[in-house]
Amino acid sequence: MLKTFWQIFISLSLLNFLSSCSGCQKKTPPHETKVTKKSITIGISQEPDSLLIPFKEMAASEEVVRAGDYSLTHFNEQWQLEPWASVAIPSKENGLLQIYSENGQEKMKTTWQIKDDFFWPDGKALTAEDFIFAHKIYSDPKQEILDRTTVEKIEKMESLGENKKTLVVTWKEPYAYYHNYSQHEALPKHILEPIYNQSPENFKKSGFSQLPALAGSFTIKEWVAGSHIIAHKNLFAKGSLVPILDEIIWRIIPQTNTLESNLVSGTIDAISTTGLSLEQALDMEKRYKDQFDFHYTEGLVWEHIDFNLDNKILKDKNVRQALAYGCDREKIVNSLFNNKQPVAHGTEPQKSMYYNPNVIKYAFDANKANELLEKSGWKKVAGKEVREKNGQPLKLTFMTTSGNKSREQIQQLLQSQWKNIGVEIEIKNQPAKVLFSETLRKRKYDALAMYAWIKDPLKVSDTTVRCDYIPSEKNNFQGQNLSGWCMKRIDELVRQASMHLDTDKRIKTAQEIESIFSEELPSLPLFFRVEVSVTKKGLTNWKPTGTLQPVTWNAKDWSWK
């Protein structure tokens, strides 16, 4: 009887165990649900200078803030301008652009309707009031604004409608770039207006420059200086603006060689376009092409050397042209980049509609370089390698971003080439953040500075050449004319270009600017960079543009397979 009891008890217990043990009775393993990765970690070689949009200058800053982009328009990877935070781009055809005359002055009006999907991370909707407030900041002469070329053309901005979703811009004159990417920026008025009103002179230094609220797909969660920046999903983004990923992390890794080891070890998932040089990427691809996707994007990244025209030696155009003839740029791009990055003879690549094929080319010619230096009084002295003039040696300092292997190699090659024509070069490099935010911004470099400008496909560059855009204390360091070049004819031409709604007329004007630039040579064009980035296999919709529009333009669409 006892034996029967225990047999029944054990049988019932076993039955209960088996019924409660999920999957225990199955002969095959249970189906495993695949966990999709919801974040990405990107290695970036430069640390942003600021994330407060009116004051940012570096490409790294642009990449981070545009993950939460809420510009009215943006460029896609095909360089096509698309509406973004706006319902439509104003044009004569859709009636949202009007040209009219007032008191004999030709003016223009554009009307923008703001989409309903854009919200600040506290739930407040993006409205025309935010664009008008940003315009106020850009217009304040006490603020250190780099580029006021748009705000100076605007007569007024108005907010219409009960929901304040209609922005009407009245222009003092027709303006060809009225619809360009980031032409009208917005700032959260409800957050920043009290901060600005309390202390306008300290607005740039506010905590918002480190942790800005963004009204796009992502907003900034954390910035630990020298370490990382985190952007997380904006929980109030609506509709197609809702991102697939929850988080983007940028790891700040200044040494480009270290970027590769971090990617291979799995510490990061991608290397930003602000990261490896072309030759590093090509070398890495030979070893890891099966593990990673390598992206090479032709674009508008113009590597060059600015001549500081306040320098007594470089004021002489003959010296500048001698330096151009005395460097073998073809040899540099061939030896370092396997001829995959074309030599730049002007500021526009062949793909640009503003390209001018007839500029001076400055092909390598040591004899011509020596002739120009002799003409300007820089003589060879017996027993000395360096030319002299009135007892002064022909010596120039040369700066670029420290830790950038490609640029440091270029410096060494140029140092050697210029030595052959009697020019001594002293290299003095700085970390990117210091070089861009302090030394170049305030024109503290003595002679030569090598870096890149990233252009957009639509606008004829003006902040880099206008006389009133030479940064100084007098203009609160406004502008990007870091060489200090000033010509009235150039000022006239860039103004004409900005007024030409007719594309053909604007092209003709831009090509004249290119011709004058190549003759006067305030900067030495080196090459047009191929924009390089690397991602782990499985990341989708990573689409670099090669323009001012950073790779994060479509971060909302990034996902993992």
Side-chain angles (χ1 to χ4, degrees):
M1 182 74 178
L2 186 61
K3 181 179 178 181
T4 304
F5 168 80
W6 280 110
Q7 285 176 332
I8 295 171
F9 175 79
I10 291 171
S11 298
L12 289 172
S13 297
L14 182 60
L15 181 63
N16 287 333
F17 168 75
L18 291 173
S19 63
S20 64
C21 179
S22 176
C24 289
Q25 300 177 67
K26 297 179 182 178
K27 294 182 180 180
T28 56
H31 175 71
E32 295 182 5
T33 303
K34 183 180 178 181
V35 178
T36 304
K37 188 174 179 179
K38 298 293 285 182
S39 68
I40 181 173
T41 301
I42 303 171
I44 192 167
S45 64
Q46 297 179 6
E47 183 167 15
D49 50 350
S50 173
L51 298 181
L52 184 48
I53 286 176
F55 307 109
K56 64 177 174 53
E57 185 173 1
M58 296 173 65
S61 305
E62 187 76 358
E63 178 174 325
V64 172
V65 298
R66 297 307 173 185
D69 190 22
Y70 47 92
S71 301
L72 292 173
T73 62
H74 69 193
F75 288 105
N76 62 22
E77 78 278 16
Q78 300 298 325
W79 298 9
Q80 297 166 331
L81 198 63
E82 301 176 327
W84 183 237
S86 63
V87 175
I89 298 176
S91 67
K92 289 182 180 179
E93 291 71 23
N94 63 21
L96 299 177
L97 183 152
Q98 298 173 304
I99 304 290
Y100 64 99
S101 182
E102 183 177 281
N103 299 323
Q105 173 68 40
E106 192 173 46
K107 295 186 177 182
M108 187 173 79
K109 185 175 289 187
T110 50
T111 302
W112 300 87
Q113 186 67 33
I114 300 167
K115 291 178 180 176
D116 293 329
D117 296 344
F118 290 78
F119 290 82
W120 299 105
D122 60 1
K124 296 284 186 180
L126 174 69
T127 71
E129 293 292 322
D130 298 315
F131 288 91
I132 294 171
F133 173 68
H135 176 71
K136 178 181 178 180
I137 301 299
Y138 276 88
S139 302
D140 182 355
K142 295 180 181 179
Q143 302 300 320
E144 290 185 15
I145 304 296
L146 283 172
D147 184 357
R148 288 191 173 93
T149 54
T150 297
V151 297
E152 68 189 12
K153 301 286 186 181
I154 294 173
E155 183 175 293
K156 64 179 178 179
M157 298 178 79
E158 301 170 276
S159 171
L160 302 181
E162 289 185 13
N163 60 3
K164 300 180 180 179
K165 288 284 189 176
T166 302
L167 175 67
V168 179
V169 184
T170 302
W171 302 83
K172 298 174 184 177
E173 59 190 17
Y175 189 54
Y177 320 124
Y178 70 92
H179 54 339
N180 205 14
Y181 156 65
S182 75
Q183 200 66 295
H184 301 302
E185 298 283 14
L187 294 169
K189 180 181 178 181
H190 64 289
I191 297 173
L192 290 180
E193 188 172 49
I195 297 173
Y196 173 74
N197 289 340
Q198 183 179 5
S199 182
E201 65 277 8
N202 293 316
F203 183 66
K204 179 182 178 181
K205 300 175 183 178
S206 70
F208 197 86
S209 66
Q210 298 286 315
L211 291 175
L214 305 176
S217 300
F218 294 89
T219 191
I220 304 302
K221 176 184 178 182
E222 180 177 86
W223 180 359
V224 176
S227 175
H228 64 271
I229 297 172
I230 300 175
H232 62 176
K233 178 188 291 187
N234 181 353
L235 298 178
F236 290 94
K238 306 295 182 186
S240 62
L241 203 64
V242 177
I244 297 170
L245 298 181
D246 292 334
E247 193 171 65
I248 303 173
I249 303 167
W250 288 268
R251 294 283 178 192
I252 301 162
I253 306 171
Q255 298 296 327
T256 52
N257 286 336
T258 312
L259 281 168
E260 178 183 321
S261 60
N262 274 262
L263 183 64
V264 173
S265 68
T267 305
I268 59 177
D269 302 309
I271 297 177
S272 163
T273 53
T274 308
L276 297 180
S277 63
L278 175 63
E279 72 276 15
Q280 287 174 303
L282 291 171
D283 179 64
M284 184 181 177
E285 186 175 17
K286 292 175 184 176
R287 292 175 283 119
Y288 297 106
K289 63 181 179 181
D290 294 331
Q291 290 178 241
F292 305 105
D293 290 321
F294 292 80
H295 309 267
Y296 302 97
T297 310
E298 291 185 24
L300 290 166
V301 184
W302 180 59
E303 191 79 19
H304 68 286
I305 298 171
D306 272 351
F307 297 128
N308 189 333
L309 301 189
D310 291 344
N311 183 294
K312 291 182 180 180
I313 297 174
L314 295 173
K315 278 183 180 291
D316 186 344
K317 183 170 70 175
N318 286 336
V319 174
R320 301 196 299 271
Q321 291 184 341
L323 291 172
Y325 281 118
C327 68
D328 193 341
R329 292 172 293 169
E330 290 285 355
K331 183 177 181 179
I332 289 172
V333 299
N334 184 44
S335 62
L336 295 184
F337 313 123
N338 198 25
N339 264 344
K340 292 185 181 296
Q341 297 193 129
V343 169
H345 299 293
T347 71
E348 302 286 346
Q350 289 190 30
K351 189 176 177 180
S352 168
M353 63 179 169
Y354 302 130
Y355 171 70
N356 184 345
N358 300 314
V359 297
I360 301 173
K361 298 295 193 294
Y362 294 103
F364 175 62
D365 188 337
N367 291 332
K368 181 69 173 177
N370 284 315
E371 179 185 318
L372 287 166
L373 292 175
E374 289 284 339
K375 184 178 179 180
S376 287
W378 292 100
K379 305 296 183 180
K380 289 187 175 180
V381 180
K384 294 184 179 181
E385 293 183 334
V386 181
R387 290 176 177 272
E388 293 184 0
K389 181 178 181 179
N390 300 324
Q392 177 189 1
L394 183 45
K395 181 179 179 180
L396 300 167
T397 58
F398 191 1
M399 305 187 76
T400 192
T401 50
S402 58
N404 186 304
K405 182 181 177 182
S406 174
R407 284 178 173 156
E408 289 173 345
Q409 287 178 319
I410 292 169
Q411 279 184 312
Q412 291 163 9
L413 290 171
L414 288 174
Q415 185 181 46
S416 175
Q417 291 175 0
W418 284 333
K419 181 181 179 180
N420 292 334
I421 60 170
V423 181
E424 182 180 355
I425 296 296
E426 180 184 9
I427 294 173
K428 288 185 177 181
N429 294 338
Q430 292 181 332
K433 189 172 183 178
V434 177
L435 182 69
F436 291 121
S437 64
E438 185 66 23
T439 304
L440 291 180
R441 176 75 185 275
K442 297 183 178 179
R443 299 188 66 236
K444 292 181 178 179
Y445 73 104
D446 178 63
L448 310 174
M450 177 169 57
Y451 62 101
W453 284 127
I454 307 176
K455 304 160 71 69
D456 72 58
L458 179 63
K459 187 178 183 182
V460 176
S461 298
D462 50 7
T463 64
T464 57
V465 296
R466 278 174 42 173
C467 293
D468 59 339
Y469 269 52
I470 300 172
S472 68
E473 286 189 26
K474 290 182 180 179
N475 68 4
N476 213 4
F477 299 103
Q478 170 183 271
Q480 297 168 312
N481 186 345
L482 304 183
S483 65
W485 184 43
C486 181
M487 286 188 69
K488 288 185 178 179
R489 178 56 180 162
I490 292 295
D491 280 0
E492 291 170 0
L493 288 170
V494 293
R495 183 174 183 275
Q496 289 175 20
S498 72
M499 295 177 65
H500 288 320
L501 297 183
D502 184 298
T503 302
D504 290 338
K505 290 181 179 179
R506 192 164 66 253
I507 289 173
K508 184 178 180 180
T509 303
Q511 290 181 337
E512 184 177 347
I513 293 171
E514 283 284 277
S515 292
I516 297 172
F517 185 97
S518 70
E519 166 66 28
E520 294 297 320
L521 211 66
S523 305
L524 174 60
L526 293 176
F527 52 87
F528 292 105
R529 279 201 338 227
V530 172
E531 199 172 62
V532 175
S533 55
V534 188
T535 57
K536 278 185 180 178
K537 295 284 186 182
L539 180 66
T540 64
N541 292 316
W542 177 275
K543 297 179 179 180
T545 69
T547 72
L548 272 172
Q549 185 83 58
V551 68
T552 47
W553 70 276
N554 71 328
K556 71 181 183 67
D557 298 325
W558 294 350
S559 66
W560 293 99
K561 290 181 182 178

